[in-house]
Amino acid sequence: MSNNNRDSGGRFAASVDDTAILKAIDQAPGPVATAAELADILPIGRRAIRERLLDLEERGKVARKTVGARSVVWWLSRDDTSDDTPDFRSGFGALTGSDFAEQVEAVGDDLDQDFRESERELFADADNTDA
């Protein structure tokens, strides 16, 4: 039996580093990843991936949710402030740093005001026809 994969303390050394696991989660086809999906991408098994994900969760790098009797999904934690967490807002391109949210809110306020005015007119007419 070979001891090539053991560290100086006799423990098995990780064959995949944390960065590779985080990168695999980020590159998963959906917003979340399962250990099985990560096992298809990385050269380690599901059990090893689950253990590593639990460790990453304790350190605030990933978060998880149980979505079935035995199904767990994982994603990159929003609380992680390290450089290996992608800036999801950068994907909005021209809208980044703009006042787009304020513009949407202003349009919503205008629509609310128009609705209230139309409602007053409608019910005012209804009150006049009842008399």
Side-chain angles (χ1 to χ4, degrees), residues 5-71:
N5 291 336
R6 294 186 184 266
D7 65 13
S8 60
R11 295 178 302 255
F12 280 101
S15 61
V16 174
D17 64 2
D18 292 345
T19 304
I21 293 172
L22 296 172
K23 190 174 187 179
I25 293 170
D26 186 42
Q27 293 175 345
V32 296
T34 64
E37 289 173 327
L38 297 174
D40 289 341
I41 298 169
L42 300 167
I44 58 176
R46 273 191 272 178
R47 175 178 257 173
I49 288 173
R50 273 194 302 274
E51 294 299 320
R52 299 287 298 283
L53 288 168
L54 290 170
D55 180 57
L56 288 167
E57 180 185 33
E58 284 181 18
R59 293 187 283 138
K61 302 281 186 180
V62 298
R64 70 177 163 148
K65 180 176 182 169
T66 302
V67 293
R70 297 183 61 182
S71 299

Side-chain angles (χ1 to χ4, degrees), residues 50-123:
R50 273 194 302 274
E51 294 299 320
R52 299 287 298 283
L53 288 168
L54 290 170
D55 180 57
L56 288 167
E57 180 185 33
E58 284 181 18
R59 293 187 283 138
K61 302 281 186 180
V62 298
R64 70 177 163 148
K65 180 176 182 169
T66 302
V67 293
R70 297 183 61 182
S71 299
V72 177
V73 293
W74 299 86
W75 62 91
L76 298 176
S77 175
R78 286 183 237 144
D79 297 334
D80 183 19
T81 57
S82 67
D83 292 336
D84 51 2
T85 300
D87 179 10
F88 295 106
R89 284 181 244 147
S90 66
F92 290 105
L95 299 178
T96 302
S98 73
D99 64 341
F100 182 72
E102 290 84 12
Q103 291 177 17
V104 169
E105 190 169 333
V107 169
D109 291 343
D110 289 344
L111 288 172
D112 286 343
Q113 183 177 355
D114 289 345
F115 176 76
R116 284 189 298 271
E117 289 173 9
S118 297
E119 187 177 43
R120 277 191 292 267
E121 290 173 12
L122 177 67
F123 288 113

Side-chain angles (χ1 to χ4, degrees), residues 120 122-131:
R120 277 191 292 267
L122 177 67
F123 288 113
D125 288 343
D127 289 340
N128 290 336
T129 58
D130 290 340

